[in-house]
Amino acid sequence: MNTEYGSNIEDIKASNRELILSTIKKHGPISRKDISEKLNLTKAAITKLTNEMIEQNILVEKGQFCEPEIRAGRKKVLIDINWNYKYAIGVSVEYDYTSVGVCNINGETVALKRVLTDRSLFPEAFLTKLAGEIREILWTNSISRDELVGLGITFIGAVDHKNGVVKKEFGLWDREIDVRTFLEKELQIKVVVNNNVRALALAEIDYGSANGNQNILFIRHGFGIGAAMILNGNVYYGAHNASAEIGHFVVDYNGAKCRCGKKGCLETLSSQSSMVNRIRDLFSQDKTPILYRECNGDRNNINFDIILSLAESEPLILELLTESAAMLGKYISLAVQMIDPEKIILHGVFFNNTNFYNIFLEEFKKNADKHSEESILISKINTKKSYFGGIAIVLKKFFYDNGGLI
Ligand SMILES: [Zn+2]
């Protein structure tokens, strides 16, 4: 059919199915009448499309429910997404760990595996091994290819999401690789690739703290400092695929070299790895006696969990972490002033510490005065479940945005 002069009937149908799915996702279970009112489409059109989607097993009727506000005896049928219609695979490849999770459409995990990221392997060998792990998980859980929507895989660093190509990874691989083509061939399923922070930000809308808000600034504090902007439920990529690079704001022109190539980025002072490195440089029996004892005198035993747990008792650690929390508050507030998001969602164990969160907040409020404490939410996605990002991107692309037409 010719689409040159506008949308054809099939396009309109697909986009209406997409609208129905997103409405049920947001407000469901919901009646056909309420869907038609929310979408401003006729009840007849909604009935036709939802019946078709029920036949295809994408939607289910939840029985009849009485509504207290309407006439006694009047009942209405609610419909919902059939959350067990298909499964999705999410993979998060990070510097230390790679996690794989298989979830239903509602994000309920049915299988899970977390392995060390083997950085000594060439990209192809790494992906071949990963595909083997995925096949094994599917086999063990008796999940066949027809039951899958696809696979969403996320990486640290820059990703060309349109072409499924992972660019030169920060500290993982030294050349770019077409991950989508490679894995689609290996596994014979649809694959979508994106940056881990952007994918996790989308997962906050589906499974996390966003509470129905579609315009968010998401900050992930971990090995590095990542951020993502979500506008109207979609990632804002920017003109150079480089939006929301808060971690790479230069805050000290004479500072340490950053993995991005610049000097003195926020990440070199306030990320988990930079805090660990800075403490390692100060580590001695005199300056950090408690930490020294705790780590048996070996600086290699220092990790972020240890320094966070000793922060209250070791003055030097307290000083350094306080400075880092304040710096995060200051620079994140500058970004917030600029883009004015509905919610700011913070992800990472540093923000779960009340003392440092309050220091962050104090600094944040000095600048972002329009954003009250209620604007800031702590992520509900466990730091070990970063595969949720992969689940969110694959369901968005091949289920929700497709109107369920897999
Ligand atoms: Zn940088």
Side-chain angles (χ1 to χ4, degrees):
M1 205 177 286
N2 192 342
T3 55
E4 205 175 325
Y5 300 105
S7 306
N8 64 32
I9 288 171
E10 287 304 312
D11 286 341
I12 292 168
K13 190 170 150 186
S15 73
N16 284 341
R17 285 173 61 120
E18 179 194 337
L19 288 172
I20 290 171
L21 276 182
S22 59
T23 306
I24 302 175
K25 181 173 141 196
K26 198 168 173 191
H27 305 282
I30 182 172
S31 70
R32 290 173 174 87
K33 183 169 164 275
D34 290 344
I35 298 175
S36 77
E37 278 166 13
K38 285 191 190 299
L39 295 179
N40 208 12
L41 289 166
T42 65
K43 175 103 188 304
I46 295 296
T47 301
K48 188 169 182 292
L49 287 171
T50 51
N51 286 352
E52 182 183 288
M53 290 163 89
I54 287 169
E55 264 170 46
Q56 290 165 342
N57 225 4
I58 297 164
L59 300 179
V60 281
E61 285 191 346
K62 303 286 274 187
Q64 296 192 329
F65 291 83
C66 281
E67 267 193 315
E69 70 270 20
I70 57 178
R71 283 199 314 270
R74 181 95 185 269
K75 290 179 176 178
K76 64 178 181 179
V77 176
L78 300 185
I79 51 176
D80 203 355
I81 292 169
N82 176 10
W83 299 114
N84 291 314
Y85 170 53
K86 300 264 176 187
Y87 297 105
I89 308 170
V91 181
S92 166
V93 182
E94 298 191 54
Y95 193 72
D96 293 325
Y97 288 95
T98 294
S99 55
V100 181
V102 182
C103 297
N104 70 3
I105 291 172
N106 206 21
E108 286 150 17
T109 305
V110 295
L112 167 67
K113 191 162 190 185
R114 192 163 182 253
V115 292
L116 281 171
T117 300
D118 189 349
R119 297 192 297 272
S120 68
L121 295 175
F122 284 119
E124 290 81 1
F126 177 90
L127 293 173
T128 304
K129 198 173 157 202
L130 176 67
E133 304 262 14
I134 292 167
R135 272 193 292 268
E136 197 190 309
I137 294 171
L138 296 175
W139 173 259
T140 315
N141 291 279
S142 310
I143 297 169
S144 67
R145 224 177 271 139
D146 329 335
E147 294 174 278
L148 292 167
V149 173
L151 177 147
I153 182 165
T154 66
F155 290 85
I156 48 176
V159 173
D160 170 1
H161 68 282
K162 284 187 189 146
N163 295 305
V165 174
V166 173
K167 310 300 264 185
K168 232 162 81 164
E169 278 298 297
F170 291 148
L172 191 59
W173 299 324
D174 60 2
R175 61 184 159 88
E176 63 176 46
I177 175 155
D178 183 346
V179 171
R180 184 172 70 197
T181 305
F182 194 95
L183 286 180
E184 282 187 343
K185 206 168 148 208
E186 277 283 322
L187 293 165
Q188 298 292 308
I189 52 174
K190 285 187 221 169
V191 174
V192 53
V193 189
N194 212 326
N195 162 272
N196 65 336
V197 179
R198 287 171 171 170
L200 261 188
L202 287 172
E204 288 292 347
I205 292 180
D206 290 350
Y207 312 114
S209 304
N211 270 339
N213 291 290
Q214 303 278 312
N215 296 292
I216 62 173
L217 176 66
F218 175 74
I219 310 284
R220 188 183 199 206
H221 183 264
F223 180 83
I225 298 170
M229 270 165 73
I230 304 293
L231 299 180
N232 298 321
N234 292 302
V235 173
Y236 174 72
Y237 289 94
H240 304 90
N241 192 21
S243 63
E245 289 280 18
I246 296 170
H248 301 282
F249 280 180
V250 174
V251 300
D252 176 6
Y253 287 106
N254 299 313
K257 185 116 190 247
C258 180
R259 58 189 176 136
C260 74
K262 294 187 295 195
K263 266 179 159 184
C265 293
L266 179 63
E267 193 172 284
T268 64
L269 292 164
S270 297
S271 66
Q272 286 186 10
S273 54
S274 65
M275 285 188 244
V276 168
N277 288 337
R278 291 171 73 199
I279 297 282
R280 276 190 182 141
D281 289 344
L282 299 166
F283 182 73
S284 75
Q285 200 161 7
D286 291 342
K287 287 182 182 164
T288 55
I290 303 169
L291 181 68
Y292 196 85
R293 240 188 354 260
E294 197 73 25
C295 295
N296 298 320
D298 185 351
R299 69 185 68 235
N300 294 317
N301 291 336
I302 304 172
N303 62 42
F304 189 69
D305 291 340
I306 294 177
I307 61 173
L308 193 57
S309 69
L310 296 181
E312 306 296 322
S313 39
E314 189 84 274
L316 209 67
I317 298 180
L318 182 64
E319 191 187 318
L320 196 136
L321 266 56
T322 300
E323 181 200 300
S324 293
M327 215 178 276
L328 286 168
K330 177 178 172 185
Y331 289 102
I332 290 171
S333 73
L334 291 177
V336 166
Q337 277 290 86
M338 180 75 205
I339 59 176
D340 190 20
E342 284 171 337
K343 297 285 175 198
I344 301 109
I345 302 181
L346 306 174
H347 183 275
V349 290
F350 196 38
F351 297 120
N352 296 338
N353 179 296
T354 314
N355 180 26
F356 295 118
Y357 177 71
N358 287 335
I359 292 162
F360 164 88
L361 202 59
E362 197 182 318
E363 212 52 42
F364 177 91
K365 281 180 183 163
K366 285 182 190 167
N367 199 29
D369 55 335
K370 298 273 187 304
H371 292 79
S372 66
E373 218 168 313
E374 286 73 48
S375 309
I376 305 176
L377 303 167
I378 301 293
S379 171
K380 286 182 194 149
I381 298 176
N382 185 303
T383 49
K384 290 194 174 119
K385 291 193 171 173
S386 43
Y387 62 84
F388 268 119
I391 299 288
I393 55 171
V394 73
L395 288 179
K396 179 170 169 49
K397 178 150 188 186
F398 296 125
F399 182 72
Y400 290 111
D401 290 359
N402 259 4
L405 294 164
I406 294 164

